Amino acid sequence: MTTLRETIRPQARSREWKAIVVLILLIPVLWSPPFLFRFFLYQPFNIPSGSMAPTLVVGDYVFAAKYAYGYGRYSFPFAPSWISGRVFAAEPEYGDIVVFRTPKDTSVDYVKRVVGLPGDRIQMRQGQLVLNDRPVTRVALKEVLAGSACATDDDAKVRRWRETLPNGASYITYDCVDNGYYDNTNVYTVPPGHLFMLGDNRDNSTDSRVASVMGFVPMDNLVGKVTRIFWSLDEDGEPRFERMGKVW
């Protein structure tokens, strides 16, 4: 009579040898420069919407530095669902543009700007960002044609603001609609281990203001920090050389 131990042991050996063979076959791939670059250093993403306009527009291709905030579950494809926390973790700074997954849908990558860190109080008042009860400095800029950034006539103009966060991070935002739906909000208090995200195109961005879709973003859900545009194509498929190489 064969014991249960003897029955399992050959099967276990078989699985172990298969795993060893697969690992040996993968070693050249795992240590190849393209693999190391793509999975450990910089991951490319393309921008499919105008929620971050004018900073990022449809047709931009960007690199996200995966090491910037350490490595977590969403740093690598096909990572097991039980992984939690981050290795070499670092906290984002105000104004960072980050790629992340939302708690509501972890299958989709989003790109937004960090405007709230753990413990911060965030509010929108008449379209102006308020951080910890202080309106964030903003300066009105010359209006420009809205184009596809706003859901209006392409000949319409969009208001622009130069917004500067407390740490000096400065960027341009779009204001397409007066008193838009999320131009006036309640106060959001960012929980520990979470971030508050906004799109630069404030009236056309689904971000942390929309609790039912995104809400607060756990730091464990970060993928990387957007560092530069490496390629860009307009709606006709022509290169936009003036956008290539832009760095944050």
Side-chain angles (χ1 to χ4, degrees):
M1 179 181 295
T2 305
T3 66
L4 184 61
R5 179 187 297 267
E6 292 170 338
T7 302
I8 291 176
R9 187 177 294 168
Q11 293 176 350
R13 287 202 196 100
S14 177
R15 287 197 296 269
E16 289 172 359
W17 277 109
K18 286 179 181 178
I20 292 171
V21 170
V22 170
L23 182 59
I24 291 172
L25 292 175
L26 284 177
I27 283 176
V29 176
L30 293 174
W31 289 102
S32 65
F35 180 90
L36 292 174
F37 185 90
R38 166 66 171 75
F39 289 96
F40 291 98
L41 299 177
Y42 294 96
Q43 182 172 345
F45 293 91
N46 73 295
I47 306 301
S49 76
S51 69
M52 279 295 293
T55 308
L56 299 174
V57 299
V58 176
D60 284 347
Y61 290 77
V62 302
F63 278 131
K66 304 185 78 170
Y67 57 83
Y69 310 123
Y71 299 95
R73 173 183 172 188
Y74 300 106
S75 298
F76 309 103
F78 314 117
S81 59
W82 48 263
I83 290 179
S84 63
R86 305 188 72 79
V87 179
F88 308 121
E91 188 173 276
E93 297 181 356
Y94 292 122
D96 284 0
I97 303 173
V98 300
V99 177
F100 59 94
R101 307 282 180 90
T102 74
K104 310 292 183 180
D105 184 358
T106 58
S107 66
V108 179
D109 293 304
Y110 286 83
V111 58
K112 304 290 179 186
R113 190 181 296 278
V114 177
V115 300
L117 301 177
D120 283 342
R121 296 182 305 280
I122 308 293
Q123 187 178 22
M124 298 297 296
R125 297 179 191 164
Q126 297 181 345
Q128 184 171 16
L129 174 62
V130 178
L131 176 58
N132 295 323
D133 305 319
R134 294 184 178 182
V136 168
T137 301
R138 66 173 185 170
V139 177
L141 303 176
K142 183 179 179 181
E143 294 182 351
V144 297
L145 291 177
S148 60
C150 299
T152 58
D153 190 326
D154 285 353
D155 294 329
K157 290 192 173 183
V158 57
R159 287 189 296 174
R160 301 185 303 152
W161 300 89
R162 166 67 66 178
E163 190 170 89
T164 304
L165 294 172
N167 66 340
S170 185
Y171 45 88
I172 297 173
T173 66
Y174 275 173
D175 185 4
C176 294
V177 182
D178 288 334
N179 293 315
Y181 191 77
Y182 288 105
D183 277 353
N184 294 280
T185 70
N186 295 324
V187 176
Y188 306 91
T189 301
V190 185
H194 289 71
L195 303 166
F196 195 93
M197 309 290 193
L198 284 182
D200 291 349
N201 190 354
R202 295 289 162 79
D203 293 309
N204 288 287
S205 174
T206 300
D207 45 43
S208 290
R209 295 172 293 178
V210 189
S212 61
V213 178
M214 185 173 296
F216 304 113
V217 175
M219 290 192 192
D220 283 358
N221 288 39
L222 298 181
V223 176
K225 175 184 177 181
V226 173
T227 57
R228 71 176 63 233
I229 298 172
F230 69 88
W231 185 246
S232 185
L233 298 173
D234 64 19
E235 58 273 11
D236 297 319
E238 296 296 323
R240 291 184 288 218
F241 294 106
E242 72 280 2
R243 295 192 60 79
M244 297 179 197
K246 286 192 174 183
V247 181
W248 291 277

